[in-house]
Amino acid sequence: MYITNTTEQVVKLIEQLEIKSDLTKLKFLIYIFDLLNNNQINDKNEVNPDLIDDGELKIFNFEVIGLSPNAGNLLLQYFAMLYNGMTDSKDAYEDNGNILGINCDKTDKEFASKFERLDFNEKLDVFSEIIIRYDNETYFNEKTLVLSLDSKLSGYDIAKQIQNFKN
């Protein structure tokens, strides 16, 4: 683990994810970045926070940490292409910031459920950890070309910005 001051639930989730197949890891990436893209990573765990008139709602997205607001869409397009390549299908595609056509099994749903049960700060820790691993090319087991999140910032820099946002 790169992120140190976190909860046992985050450590357990990352450790369980670490031993899964690259396809399962990719589906988890798609799931959490889809949530991020739709402003669903927020401190009140609101499904549609854009409809809430609450100035106190804290929403995590790429823009709040200084990245391009369209970075999420670009990543999801790349993840869809990667999924199609791993599965030899053309089922996955990105549509308005959402990935469609992904087949999820019981394991995928279990990881999604575990992530959903985390509180806001724990979800930010998961993002931090995964971004570091993804950027360092240690997230996937097999050698996989990764799309850079930012041309100037490393995964550590982005994780530090996420941790600063958390505090």
Side-chain angles (χ1 to χ4, degrees), residues 27-87:
K27 288 179 185 179
F28 186 70
L29 266 182
I30 290 169
Y31 177 74
I32 66 172
F33 278 89
D34 186 51
L35 293 176
L36 174 86
N37 231 25
N38 291 303
N39 290 334
Q40 292 177 322
I41 307 297
N42 58 74
D43 62 343
K44 302 226 189 308
N45 215 18
E46 290 292 336
V47 175
N48 199 346
D50 296 328
L51 297 178
I52 296 174
D53 190 23
D54 184 359
E56 298 296 314
L57 187 66
K58 190 173 181 180
I59 298 173
F60 173 65
N61 56 41
F62 282 128
E63 219 170 345
V64 299
I65 58 170
L67 298 179
S68 171
N70 70 344
N73 285 352
L74 294 173
L75 276 170
L76 285 175
Q77 288 172 3
Y78 172 70
F79 293 156
M81 289 187 309
L82 193 57
Y83 177 86
N84 289 338
M86 283 183 172
T87 61

Side-chain angles (χ1 to χ4, degrees), residues 79-98:
F79 293 156
M81 289 187 309
L82 193 57
Y83 177 86
N84 289 338
M86 283 183 172
T87 61
D88 291 325
S89 74
K90 302 294 177 237
D91 297 335
Y93 59 95
E94 186 271 338
D95 181 36
N96 282 336
N98 297 300

Side-chain angles (χ1 to χ4, degrees), residues 58-137:
K58 190 173 181 180
I59 298 173
F60 173 65
N61 56 41
F62 282 128
E63 219 170 345
V64 299
I65 58 170
L67 298 179
S68 171
N70 70 344
N73 285 352
L74 294 173
L75 276 170
L76 285 175
Q77 288 172 3
Y78 172 70
F79 293 156
M81 289 187 309
L82 193 57
Y83 177 86
N84 289 338
M86 283 183 172
T87 61
D88 291 325
S89 74
K90 302 294 177 237
D91 297 335
Y93 59 95
E94 186 271 338
D95 181 36
N96 282 336
N98 297 300
I99 296 280
L100 305 172
I102 300 289
N103 293 321
C104 294
D105 62 17
K106 183 180 176 190
T107 301
D108 304 325
K109 291 176 185 173
E110 286 173 11
F111 275 111
S113 176
K114 287 176 184 179
F115 182 78
E116 288 294 335
R117 287 193 301 263
L118 298 175
D119 71 26
F120 181 64
N121 286 336
E122 290 172 323
K123 288 177 182 176
L124 295 180
D125 287 346
V126 169
F127 268 99
S128 296
E129 183 70 24
I130 286 178
I131 285 174
I132 292 171
R133 289 170 185 249
Y134 174 81
D135 189 62
N136 287 340
E137 299 182 19

